[in-house]
Amino acid sequence: GSKTGENDSAGGVTADTSGDTVKVGLLNSLSGTMAISEVTVRDAIMLAVEEINAAGGVLGKKIAPVGEDGASDWPTFAEKAEKLIKVDRVAAVFGCWTSASRKAVKPVFEENKALLFYPVQYEGLEQSPYIFYTGATTNQQIVPGLDYLKAQGKKSVYLVGSDYVFPRTANKIIKAYAEANGLKVLGEDYAPLGSTEFGTIVNKVKASKAEAVFNTLNGDSNVAFFKEYKSAGLTAASMPVVSVSIAEEEVKSIGTQYLAGQLTAWNYYQTTSGAANDKFVKAYKAKFGADKPTSDPMEAAYVSVYLWKAMVEKAGSFDVEKVKGAADGVTFEAPEGLVTIDGATQHIHKTARIGKIGDDGLITEVWNSGGPVKPDPYLKGYTWATGLS
Amino acid sequence: MKALTEMNPRLRAGLGFGLGAVVLFAAAPALLTDFRLSLLAKYLCFAIVAVGIGLAWGRGGLLTLGQGVFFGLGGYAMAMHLKLADAGEGNMPDFMELYGQLDELPAWWAPFANPAFALAATVLLPMLVAFGLGSLVFRRRVRGAYFAILSQALAAAMVILLIGQQGTTGGTNGLTDIEGFFGYDLDDPVNQRMVYFIIAGVLLALLALTRQLMHSRYGELLVAVRDSEERVRFLGYNPANVKLVAYVVAAGMAGLAGALFVPAVGIISPALIGIVPSIEFVIGVAVGGRAALLGPVLGAVAVAWAKTALSERFPGTWTYLQGAMFVLVVAFLPGGLASLWGLVKRRREATVPPTPPAEQPVLVKEAAA
Amino acid sequence: MTVILGQLFTGVSIGAVLLLIALGLALTFGQMNVINMAHGEFIMAGAYTTYVLQQTITDAGLSLLVALPIAFAVAGAMGVLLEWALIRRLYTRPLDTLLVTWGVSLMLQQLARDIFGAPNVQTAAPDILTESTSLGADLSIANSRLFILGLVVLAVAALTAALKFTPLGRRIRAVVQNRDLAAVSGIPTGRVDRLTFFIGSGLAGVAGVALTLLGPIGPTMGTNIIIDAFLVVVVGGIGQLKGSVIVAFVLGMLQAMVEYLTTLSVAKVIVFIAIVAFLQWRPQGLFTLRTRSLA
Amino acid sequence: MSETAGGLRIRGLRVAFDGFVAVDGVDLDVAPGDIRFLIGPNGAGKTTLVDAVTGLVKATGSALFGEQELLGREVHRIARLGVGRTFQTAALFEELTVLQNLDIAAGAGRSPWTMLRRRGAVPDDVAYALETIGLADRRDVLAGTLAHGQKQWLEIGMLLVQNARLLLLDEPVAGMSHEEREATGELLGKVAGERTVVVIEHDMDFLRRFARTVTVLHAGKVLSEGTVAQVQADPKVQEVYLGHATGEPAAQGAEA
Amino acid sequence: MMLRIEGVFAGYGRSTVLHGVDVTVDDGTVTAVLGHNGAGKSTLLRAAIGLLRPKQGMVLFGGEDVTKLPPHVRVARGMAYVPQGQQCFPHLTTAENLQLVADGRRGGRQAMASALELFPALHGLMRRRAGLLSGGQRQQLAIARALITRPKLLLLDEPTEGIQPNVVAEIEQAVLSLAGVDGLSVLLVEQHLGFALRAAHRYHVLESGRVTSSGAGGTGAEPAVRAALTV
Ligand SMILES: Nc1ncnc2c1ncn2[C@@H]1O[C@H](COP(=O)(O)OP(=O)(O)OP(=O)(O)O)[C@@H](O)[C@H]1O
Ligand SMILES: Nc1ncnc2c1ncn2[C@@H]1O[C@H](COP(=O)(O)OP(=O)(O)OP(=O)(O)O)[C@@H](O)[C@H]1O
Ligand SMILES: NC(N)=O
Ligand SMILES: [Mg+2]
Ligand SMILES: [Mg+2]
């Protein structure tokens, strides 16, 4: 890249849209512990890019994706984000999974006034002017999950999570909710990301005699947790687990013999009905294989590319500020149903769904919010949540 | 070139430092874009860690697989100060209110508001920890693979500890979003350059210090301890102390490197101090040449640069290339890249008609690990 | 009370897993001084072997049994290849093996990702191994854990007997202790090295099969537990199988007890502190072999 | 450091390994300036005795060097009291040059400040030792590449510069040729007087030439003690050690 | 011809220690190699057994070229070697040190017994780990270990170093009788001229890696050898 172009950072880097293509960045872990999840997200983004290009591109320009490997290492995410912005001069970046990686890149996007689309459910309590959050915030996933448990008459829960910012913050919210709603939290345990020894935690869960478990474990740990859970004689009937980070892909790798009957809270399942989803699932399987499931973060990532396209076209420009300005009210007929960008928070309206894992490994919806829920990252609309942020 | 090898070693060293200064202070800033220069600043921080490892491992035989710990201590000490400075007098860093739900600053954070304390701590804290652990471990003659595995476990334990204290350490996130550096705005490219120059200067100064140490009597004694610790004891030295000096100095360097890394990159997190980065530090040293003075610097920069360059060019397959590089260099070039020069020289000599072999200087035995 | 008993068994079973993984290291690291960081990837190879076998042998129980010897052979063969290509050049600089095999482990992880995909894969366990045996009121223990415990006991017994009482065992030990002298005593050192590495790596493969019952099967499954396994060998005393056995169970127990009272993270840190303290008392591990040489 | 040689006074020295008693209540007095030879069958406990005195193995009893009790101190502290030793199999710093080996041996008392500077000229005592041990022309060669015999010489050289006042030499001339033994013996003669020397040796020829007094150890106990002639004539010593070879005592005799 | 070393150049790394050495050992005879410290005697034996690959030259054993064979194959063919410096497998017991060599060898058990006859002192030490033995005990163990293979050619590097006088005499007797009775050939490196020359049928003097004089053994050769050594 030219030196002057790269150095022009004080006022933000302008994307290079001089040719007949527009570059976008794909920032996911292709190696390390998070590759397990993030590779599928990259695949979904690539699918959207190809579809859009086949349909003529964005503002007449074909999208040229530039991939970088975040390597499951947060500082590397920051380095690669800066590279995509300054060297490749991409118009937008799609990616990141863990909240830790998002926290690492956030200052980079803010400093350079560049756009990130973040496709994973997260803990809320954040709002960056340069990030669009296309996954669920807490009131679109965790709170509905708790409401569901309450509706089922559960009086006590045990909290199990990975030791990082998303589960810890989520559990803080859960505890606030529990206190206000007469739910007892009988214990709270964390395992480091990647940890696979759950003997003690499961013993503690079992001894607590809680009526349900709220699970915010991420990645590999889920496999070990559910195998241990079943071995300890705990079942979906005796003590159901509500998980917020296992989707179809994870179900597939844990094994239905360990999971049948357990609950998940998401905004999308492969089985979600609707023409948009049928098309998405079909296209995905055609490209990546019939045995590859689609999942919520993949769908959110796929949607984010379309949302960006719609924003750009509404703004008539790739310019970041103009695109941001055009965001409010942009809609897309997504696989999960209609989604709408909330310009004020840069989150999107999403439908909340509780699903039950079936014997065939697919998740079927047992409850939904009836329509898109307005995003409320700071839980301002919930009285029990005052003091959280 | 022949003249160079015969030159007075001090003169040669002086020339070398001059050359290094020209490269770091003139050539690099002129040729590189701001983004690449900031990456170089990061690599140079790793190089500072590597200089210390070169001393402790290359000379002293202490395979320390936990330098990330000291890097982290220095980095966190600096980042804590900068976070407090960013927050402003009397305020708490943003993440604490958010995730820690703390009403006031934890007591152990408070002193870091003082810039002098924080600066001193970046170097002294790692040295202190190294001193504590080293005194225990060396005095009881834990060494070789034992020491290597133990130091590795230390890095793992430190990471777990940091991650578990999210409210006060930032957990896995680490301390991010650092904006100012003693009053200078780090967003400003001019100030980023200043940070680069500081790092380059510190690296050169530490190289000079290390060279002096390596060539001193202490340097010889350190090699003696590496070769035969027990024998040194019978000469009236306590080898634990000899090792301790190298270990503590290396820890101090790693701490300083961590402290400088923070303004250069704007983040410090457990991901930078665990087992993987700690091993990568050591591999950089091995790739460059563990026993040479400049080997570790070259290796650290080469390995970090290769990681960036390879992963940019081959995002899907770069780990093959990285792994292969580690394997090939360490297995087949035990002296590291620094020994290439010697190999080339030897090849050239080999084509010269052989002088009577008996008179030739005896070859240095391969540095045993 | 039942909780305490349950935790005791958890400790034992953590110990059994640690030991199963450390057993191969006790050979390659303990006997041969090779710090094989790719040991975790050999475990991974064993697990993927189970997965691949299940594609053809659909009976979960049968495929698990068949997987044990085949995984042993697969991982063992990988070990032999590694020994032949790299390790044999490094016997004079044992600490360098750590760095070289680290590079190998990076490559093997990527290879697994390219062959099997980045996401984890799933194997089915025979139903009996996903259930638990009830021991009265609230106490039940997982059958998979019992299976692993049995497997470990068998493996330890076989390995101990082989090392202590067979000519091969003598040869393995002799070659490490004085390579040149072994060669001039008529021992084909190269072959003994390869055989030792075969067995050590093969045991990793067996561990991989067992781990499919407990945890994820994916490209990074080997990295998490490997440091703990090295600690077991170090604290047990390098070259001392009985040390590894005792230490694995003691560490497992300590981990389980402390974790029950505190958290997983705190338990890990406390275990580490305990190890440092222990090495203050016994710097060469639980069992040591002294010699009179100064080396 | 005072320059007067001290004597060695051992009382009731006992070393046991897992039930096996290697040194079993030895009393031994070596007068200041003496050259005492310690002989006895393989496994008699000679090396173990030296190990005990230099702090390498735990022992009970007492070992006084001058006024100082040696037992129970750490190895490097004993060395600083002026006790130096060599090893039955040479132990050198193989990756350092001959000169560096000697310089390190000379330097245990150096101040930190001196340690942190580089060596200027070759110190006098080191230069002298280099000449004495005949390695002056190999001073910049790595010690690891010396031949077996040369290594032994270097070890003796290190003792010289270490300024030890009690020298404990474990088979110092093993593997040396006849001429070199002579030279070594003469060297020992020179350094004794202001130093006290204890030599372990199996070479009877060497012993006859250079010993002033002899102690014979057998199965961890003192079997016999006296002048060379007295000890050689002792039937118990002939029985367990020298052999009944008529005429010249076995191999070494031929070189006399 | 049991052993023939022809024009061997060998050394370590870049340095050459042996400069075209020729040495032969006839069937059933003892050949002594004498020389100062550092002359290259041990290097010569290392080249003969195969621990060191010659840079040039050949090693013939029983008429066959063994230059490229690894040590264990040479041992299998009938060579044995006792290195200098009382080497052993320190963590194996004395018994295991011996058993190791007897393993899988026909008549191994008996060979072990007869090797032990030579060193009765080892009997009481069978269960002690070799690394704990005294120097002399280790040396006796080393010689016994070499004899268990019932070699045709024995390479001895200063076998009497560190051994008590009456045992030295026994070793001398053993070497002589084995060479005489069993047809064993011996290449002996020894500093004790008396022993060496009494035992040897031929001797070679090695100086700085070159053979500078040779001759028939026997005590009568001593003046000539001394002269060669002092030059
Ligand atoms: N650590 C130990 N454990 C058990 N036995 C030991 C140990 N160290 C020495 N011994 C035994 O103690 C006895 C004395 O050994 P030492 O080395 O002192 O003999 P030495 O008189 O020096 O013999 P040499 O003349 O052969 O060198 C030997 O039988 C030896 O095997
Ligand atoms: N491993 C080695 N590396 C480099 N040089 C070596 C090595 N071993 C021996 N040498 C060198 O080779 C030369 C001959 O050594 P060698 O051991 O063959 O001598 P030697 O005749 O056996 O002496 P001695 O009587 O002392 O045992 C010596 O100058 C020595 O420095
Ligand atoms: N946002 C998450 N799942 O880290
Ligand atoms: Mg001895
Ligand atoms: Mg020799």
Side-chain angles (χ1 to χ4, degrees):
Chain A
S2 84
K3 196 178 164 189
T4 44
E6 280 188 49
N7 281 351
D8 182 19
S9 73
V13 185
T14 39
D16 178 6
T17 51
S18 50
D20 53 4
T21 59
V22 54
K23 287 196 216 165
V24 301
L26 274 49
L27 184 51
N28 318 93
S29 295
L30 305 181
S31 55
T33 62
M34 289 311 298
I36 292 165
S37 304
E38 295 192 47
V39 166
T40 63
V41 167
R42 156 110 16 134
D43 289 347
I45 299 172
M46 286 305 294
L47 178 65
V49 166
E50 278 177 26
E51 287 177 1
I52 291 170
N53 280 346
V58 182
L59 289 185
K61 289 181 196 286
K62 292 274 160 68
I63 302 175
V66 182
E68 286 289 348
D69 179 9
S72 308
D73 178 72
W74 330 141
T76 299
F77 271 93
E79 176 193 317
K80 297 302 185 190
E82 191 161 359
K83 184 255 178 187
L84 287 170
I85 297 166
K86 287 187 172 167
V87 179
D88 298 311
R89 298 170 67 200
V90 298
V93 175
F94 299 88
C96 294
W97 178 296
T98 62
S99 292
S101 65
R102 187 191 68 249
K103 292 279 183 196
V105 300
K106 181 168 155 272
V108 176
F109 284 95
E110 289 171 356
E111 215 171 274
N112 294 293
K113 305 195 189 331
L115 282 182
L116 170 70
F117 286 80
Y118 175 71
V120 183
Q121 47 75 235
Y122 84 114
E123 68 279 5
L125 308 185
E126 182 178 299
Q127 192 174 315
S128 164
Y130 292 93
I131 301 179
F132 281 86
Y133 305 80
T134 63
T137 179
T138 45
N139 76 314
Q140 298 167 317
Q141 183 195 26
I142 288 173
V143 176
L146 292 166
D147 287 340
Y148 181 78
L149 280 181
K150 195 176 149 197
Q152 299 292 307
K154 303 292 179 197
K155 293 268 176 292
S156 59
V157 287
Y158 201 101
L159 310 181
V160 177
S162 294
D163 201 351
Y164 76 108
V165 56
F166 160 67
R168 282 191 178 267
T169 313
N171 284 345
K172 216 170 62 183
I173 292 168
I174 293 170
K175 283 186 284 183
Y177 176 100
E179 187 159 352
N181 289 277
L183 199 61
K184 264 214 214 63
V185 175
L186 294 178
E188 182 180 3
D189 269 300
Y190 298 94
L193 271 174
S195 170
T196 54
E197 186 53 79
F198 281 87
T200 304
I201 288 181
V202 168
N203 275 354
K204 283 196 200 176
V205 170
K206 189 176 176 186
S208 78
K209 303 207 162 60
E211 291 175 19
V213 175
F214 206 97
N215 166 25
T216 46
L217 290 170
N218 264 242
D220 282 345
S221 299
N222 278 304
V223 184
F225 173 71
F226 280 104
K227 288 187 178 178
E228 196 73 49
Y229 200 74
K230 176 158 199 281
S231 295
L234 296 169
T235 63
S238 64
M239 197 189 284
V241 181
V242 182
S243 305
V244 292
S245 297
I246 53 174
E248 287 81 347
E249 184 63 59
E250 286 79 14
V251 171
K252 191 164 163 269
S253 73
I254 296 168
T256 45
Q257 69 189 130
Y258 300 102
L259 280 177
Q262 301 291 15
L263 300 169
T264 61
W266 283 113
N267 307 98
Y268 165 88
Y269 300 108
Q270 182 175 307
T271 56
T272 298
S273 58
N277 189 35
D278 293 346
K279 177 172 157 278
F280 171 59
V281 173
K282 204 166 140 218
Y284 188 83
K285 299 209 173 215
K287 187 165 160 60
F288 297 103
D291 60 329
K292 296 278 189 285
T294 59
S295 70
D296 180 292
M298 289 160 65
E299 189 261 359
Y302 173 84
V303 167
S304 62
V305 186
Y306 275 102
L307 284 174
W308 170 73
K309 170 176 181 282
M311 286 153 68
V312 168
E313 284 171 348
K314 184 174 167 199
S317 162
F318 290 105
D319 180 83
V320 168
E321 298 304 333
K322 290 189 183 136
V323 170
K324 270 158 50 72
D328 192 40
V330 165
T331 61
F332 177 65
E333 197 55 58
E336 65 178 273
L338 185 77
V339 298
T340 311
I341 298 179
D342 174 44
T345 60
Q346 301 193 160
H347 288 59
I348 61 181
H349 296 253
K350 295 169 80 83
T351 306
R353 297 183 158 89
I354 305 298
K356 185 175 241 161
I357 300 167
D359 293 328
D360 54 0
L362 291 178
I363 306 175
T364 45
E365 193 174 301
V366 295
W367 175 91
N368 73 44
S369 56
V373 179
K374 182 179 160 54
D376 185 1
Y378 288 91
L379 296 170
K380 295 210 179 78
Y382 301 83
T383 44
W384 50 262
T386 47
L388 276 178
S389 46
Chain B
M1 271 306 151
K2 181 128 194 163
L4 193 65
T5 54
E6 280 164 11
M7 209 183 282
N8 167 327
R10 280 187 191 221
L11 194 60
R12 208 168 74 202
L15 270 179
F17 274 99
L19 193 68
V22 169
V23 168
L24 288 178
F25 286 101
L31 294 174
L32 297 177
T33 63
D34 275 355
F35 172 60
R36 295 294 169 195
L37 195 69
S38 76
L39 287 182
L40 181 59
K42 175 163 104 174
Y43 305 161
L44 294 184
C45 291
F46 296 155
I48 293 174
V49 182
V51 172
I53 295 178
L55 182 72
W57 179 40
R59 293 297 165 123
L62 301 167
L63 179 48
T64 153
L65 292 175
Q67 286 309 89
V69 169
F70 306 122
F71 185 83
L73 285 172
Y76 272 92
M78 175 66 89
M80 283 161 73
H81 172 70
L82 299 183
K83 280 305 267 187
L84 288 172
D86 282 351
E89 185 89 40
N91 294 330
M92 287 206 291
D94 44 9
F95 77 92
M96 267 189 203
E97 293 176 50
L98 201 48
Y99 308 123
Q101 301 239 281
L102 301 176
D103 300 327
E104 58 180 279
L105 205 61
W108 58 275
W109 267 73
F112 288 91
N114 179 330
F117 177 88
L119 271 182
T122 60
V123 183
L124 295 183
L125 198 61
M127 289 174 95
L128 203 69
V129 171
F131 182 81
L133 189 79
S135 328
L136 288 177
V137 157
F138 298 145
R139 236 169 265 293
R140 292 296 293 154
R141 305 180 201 179
V142 174
R143 57 185 165 228
Y146 286 81
F147 177 72
I149 305 278
L150 202 63
S151 62
Q152 197 167 38
L154 174 68
M158 167 103 170
V159 166
I160 292 171
L161 202 63
L162 280 172
I163 289 179
Q165 310 304 314
Q166 176 162 292
T168 50
T169 63
T172 337
N173 288 3
L175 302 178
T176 63
D177 209 356
I178 283 153
E179 283 156 4
F181 183 57
F182 297 98
Y184 292 91
D185 176 9
L186 285 172
D187 285 356
D188 186 342
V190 176
N191 291 337
Q192 274 297 337
R193 267 176 186 252
M194 170 190 76
V195 170
Y196 166 81
F197 284 121
I198 292 174
I199 292 171
V202 167
L203 174 62
L204 282 182
L206 289 180
L207 271 175
L209 175 82
T210 308
R211 184 173 187 279
Q212 174 62 29
L213 265 183
M214 282 183 177
H215 288 79
S216 72
R217 283 188 149 115
Y218 168 77
E220 293 175 355
L221 184 59
L222 187 61
V223 174
V225 170
R226 179 189 72 190
D227 281 1
S228 178
E229 188 174 331
E230 290 305 321
R231 188 66 181 84
V232 169
R233 225 181 279 281
F234 282 100
L235 294 174
Y237 299 93
N238 186 354
N241 292 340
V242 179
K243 293 198 214 178
L244 199 54
V245 172
Y247 189 51
V248 167
V249 168
M253 289 187 187
L256 193 51
L260 293 169
F261 180 92
V262 169
V265 180
I267 182 172
I268 185 80
S269 86
L272 290 159
I273 72 186
I275 289 177
V276 174
S278 293
I279 289 184
E280 279 176 1
F281 286 142
V282 173
I283 287 186
V285 174
V287 165
R290 64 198 72 167
L293 176 67
L294 281 180
V297 173
L298 292 178
V301 173
V303 164
W305 173 80
K307 185 170 174 173
T308 301
L310 290 175
S311 66
E312 279 178 10
R313 187 141 319 162
F314 313 101
T317 50
W318 68 279
T319 41
Y320 283 126
L321 302 169
Q322 189 195 28
M325 174 176 79
F326 294 169
V327 168
L328 294 178
V329 177
V330 181
F332 298 100
L333 200 63
L337 298 174
S339 68
L340 277 178
W341 163 245
L343 285 181
V344 172
K345 206 171 63 171
R346 207 171 311 151
R347 180 127 327 144
R348 240 184 326 161
E349 273 172 21
T351 58
V352 178
T355 40
E359 269 80 57
Q360 268 189 17
V362 184
L363 180 70
V364 179
K365 234 176 46 176
E366 272 175 9
Chain C
M1 190 58 210
T2 53
V3 167
I4 293 181
L5 285 177
Q7 275 312 97
L8 273 178
F9 182 72
T10 301
V12 169
S13 75
I14 294 177
V17 171
L18 270 180
L19 183 55
L20 192 56
I21 289 162
L23 213 50
L25 290 177
L27 265 187
T28 55
F29 176 49
Q31 296 292 339
M32 299 174 77
N33 296 328
V34 175
I35 308 180
N36 180 17
M37 297 299 282
H39 192 79
E41 279 59 47
F42 292 167
I43 294 175
M44 170 190 86
Y48 274 119
T49 302
T50 318
Y51 167 73
V52 170
L53 278 174
Q54 280 203 350
Q55 310 301 304
T56 45
I57 307 175
T58 42
D59 181 272
L62 181 65
S63 68
L64 191 71
L65 287 182
V66 174
L68 286 171
I70 294 190
F72 185 88
V74 168
M78 290 171 71
V80 168
L81 193 67
L82 178 67
E83 199 281 340
W84 172 81
L86 295 170
I87 304 286
R88 71 191 162 108
R89 293 162 220 282
L90 300 172
Y91 286 121
T92 51
R93 29 192 189 114
L95 294 185
D96 278 17
T97 57
L98 185 151
L99 305 179
V100 170
T101 54
W102 173 260
V104 172
S105 110
L106 289 179
M107 291 194 283
L108 288 177
Q109 282 180 32
Q110 187 64 36
L111 191 68
R113 223 169 265 131
D114 287 347
I115 297 177
F116 300 102
N120 289 333
V121 299
Q122 170 206 345
T123 60
D127 281 338
I128 180 156
L129 289 185
T130 67
E131 285 155 9
S132 55
T133 302
S134 176
L135 300 178
D138 253 343
L139 185 61
S140 63
I141 51 185
N143 293 350
S144 55
R145 300 273 181 178
L146 283 175
F147 175 77
I148 289 174
L149 194 58
L151 193 64
V152 163
V153 170
L154 264 177
V156 169
L159 193 59
T160 311
L163 276 183
K164 260 237 137 77
F165 305 116
T166 68
L168 174 67
R170 272 192 285 278
R171 288 178 164 215
I172 289 174
R173 289 183 287 151
V175 169
V176 192
Q177 289 168 32
N178 195 335
R179 192 163 289 278
D180 279 356
L181 189 61
V184 303
S185 301
I187 297 173
T189 53
R191 224 178 303 153
V192 171
D193 287 332
R194 245 160 286 147
L195 189 57
T196 316
F197 223 80
F198 178 78
I199 300 173
S201 308
L203 286 170
V206 171
V209 177
L211 286 189
T212 63
L213 298 173
L214 299 183
I217 305 155
T220 53
M221 66 176 286
T223 50
N224 285 323
I225 197 161
I226 190 80
I227 299 301
D228 290 341
F230 272 110
L231 279 179
V232 165
V233 179
V234 162
V235 176
I238 291 181
Q240 296 293 300
L241 204 53
K242 62 182 171 196
S244 299
V245 173
I246 295 175
V247 167
F249 287 112
V250 169
L251 286 188
M253 213 67 102
L254 186 65
Q255 167 79 36
M257 290 304 164
V258 180
E259 187 186 342
Y260 191 79
L261 298 174
T262 59
T263 68
L264 185 57
S265 304
V266 172
K268 289 214 166 231
V269 174
I270 286 183
V271 166
F272 172 74
I273 292 170
I275 286 172
V276 174
F278 176 81
L279 288 179
Q280 287 302 300
W281 175 52
R282 293 222 150 209
Q284 308 299 317
L286 185 57
F287 294 105
T288 51
L289 289 178
R290 281 173 311 116
T291 62
R292 304 177 71 191
S293 87
L294 287 183
Chain D
M1 253 192 262
S2 94
E3 283 301 316
T4 52
L8 178 65
R9 181 183 165 86
I10 293 176
R11 284 294 170 273
L13 188 74
R14 198 181 131 90
V15 180
F17 303 107
D18 311 321
F20 173 78
V21 183
V23 177
D24 193 2
V26 167
D27 294 342
L28 186 68
D29 288 285
V30 186
D34 194 2
I35 303 185
R36 168 68 52 92
F37 270 58
L38 202 54
I39 62 173
N42 295 129
K46 307 179 292 297
T47 302
T48 308
L49 183 142
V50 169
D51 287 350
V53 169
T54 53
L56 197 59
V57 300
K58 278 209 182 75
T60 55
S62 146
L64 290 173
F65 173 49
E67 306 288 285
Q68 304 276 2
E69 175 63 56
L70 300 179
L71 298 191
R73 289 182 198 253
E74 283 182 276
V75 165
H76 65 276
R77 306 226 174 264
I78 295 175
R80 282 190 204 160
L81 292 175
V83 179
R85 73 173 290 185
T86 61
F87 292 87
Q88 202 160 348
T89 35
L92 298 163
F93 309 121
E94 310 232 315
E95 308 242 335
L96 293 179
T97 64
V98 169
L99 175 61
Q100 288 170 334
N101 268 275
L102 288 169
D103 188 61
I104 285 176
R110 287 181 183 133
S111 69
W113 176 241
T114 318
M115 289 303 296
L116 291 180
R117 279 180 310 163
R118 81 177 63 210
R119 183 181 47 250
V122 177
D124 286 344
D125 51 346
V126 171
Y128 172 75
L130 269 174
E131 283 304 322
T132 319
I133 61 177
L135 291 177
D137 58 336
R138 309 213 70 182
R139 66 169 223 198
D140 293 322
V141 154
L142 295 183
T145 66
L146 292 177
H148 175 81
Q150 294 168 324
K151 288 181 179 168
Q152 301 256 357
W153 279 72
L154 180 52
E155 280 221 78
I156 295 176
M158 287 165 74
L159 278 191
L160 292 182
V161 298
Q162 192 186 343
N163 200 20
R165 280 160 299 113
L166 173 62
L167 307 189
L168 304 162
L169 309 178
D170 199 354
E171 305 195 22
V173 299
M176 285 190 184
S177 66
H178 182 69
E179 293 77 6
E180 289 156 342
R181 287 166 197 244
E182 286 292 301
T184 310
E186 271 152 30
L187 182 67
L188 291 184
K190 260 189 275 171
V191 302
E194 55 191 58
R195 302 168 211 246
T196 308
V197 182
V198 176
V199 183
I200 299 175
E201 204 30 86
H202 289 296
D203 182 346
M204 295 306 290
D205 185 41
F206 183 71
L207 173 131
R208 278 190 286 277
R209 289 271 286 113
F210 299 105
R212 292 184 191 159
T213 54
V214 183
T215 298
V216 186
L217 236 50
H218 175 52
K221 293 193 161 78
V222 175
L223 180 73
S224 176
E225 197 162 66
T227 64
V228 175
Q230 285 167 345
V231 165
Q232 264 188 308
D234 185 335
K236 284 182 298 187
V237 177
Q238 290 177 0
E239 162 79 28
V240 303
Y241 186 64
L242 294 174
H244 297 286
T246 47
E248 46 186 0
Q252 284 84 353
E255 285 178 358
Chain E
M1 206 90 59
M2 185 54 63
L3 178 73
R4 195 184 166 98
I5 293 171
E6 256 181 35
V8 161
F9 286 79
Y12 306 91
R14 274 199 300 159
S15 75
T16 307
V17 173
L18 301 178
H19 304 278
V21 172
D22 297 305
V23 165
T24 58
V25 182
D26 289 326
D27 289 358
T29 68
V30 178
T31 299
V33 174
L34 309 165
H36 284 295
N37 296 131
K41 305 180 295 294
S42 298
T43 305
L44 181 68
L45 292 198
R46 291 168 66 81
I49 193 68
L51 284 176
L52 207 62
R53 190 66 53 93
K55 298 175 179 176
Q56 205 180 307
M58 285 214 294
V59 179
L60 299 165
F61 176 61
E64 258 183 281
D65 185 358
V66 296
T67 319
K68 295 210 161 60
L69 297 182
H72 70 269
V73 177
R74 299 188 202 201
V75 172
R77 302 236 171 133
M79 295 171 88
Y81 168 60
V82 178
Q84 190 171 8
Q86 304 143 356
Q87 293 195 42
C88 64
F89 302 106
H91 297 315
L92 300 186
T93 62
T94 304
E96 285 175 322
N97 263 270
L98 297 171
Q99 186 63 47
L100 179 75
V101 185
D103 280 338
R105 204 174 283 282
R106 222 178 305 128
R109 184 173 294 267
Q110 205 200 329
M112 205 166 131
S114 57
L116 275 174
E117 254 167 52
L118 203 55
F119 302 105
L122 292 180
H123 277 296
L125 303 167
M126 294 305 272
R127 298 162 72 95
R128 191 168 299 172
R129 276 183 291 114
L132 302 177
L133 297 181
S134 79
Q137 291 166 338
R138 276 204 309 275
Q139 182 67 2
Q140 299 182 24
L141 173 61
I143 301 174
R145 189 177 47 229
L147 289 177
I148 289 179
T149 62
R150 294 200 188 280
K152 298 186 204 125
L153 171 70
L154 186 56
L155 308 168
L156 293 174
D157 200 347
E158 311 209 8
T160 64
E161 196 181 293
I163 293 190
Q164 67 190 78
N166 50 357
V167 178
V168 169
E170 281 167 35
I171 292 176
E172 182 178 336
Q173 282 308 313
V175 168
L176 286 173
S177 73
L178 286 171
V181 180
D182 286 5
L184 178 77
S185 311
V186 179
L187 183 57
L188 172 69
V189 169
E190 188 45 83
Q191 289 290 2
H192 291 295
L193 288 190
F195 167 29
L197 290 176
R198 271 198 304 279
H201 299 89
R202 280 191 68 73
Y203 74 86
H204 302 280
V205 173
L206 205 58
E207 294 249 33
S208 303
R210 293 177 175 84
V211 175
T212 52
S213 78
S214 310
T219 32
E222 202 176 321
V225 172
R226 281 209 188 284
L229 279 175
T230 37
V231 173

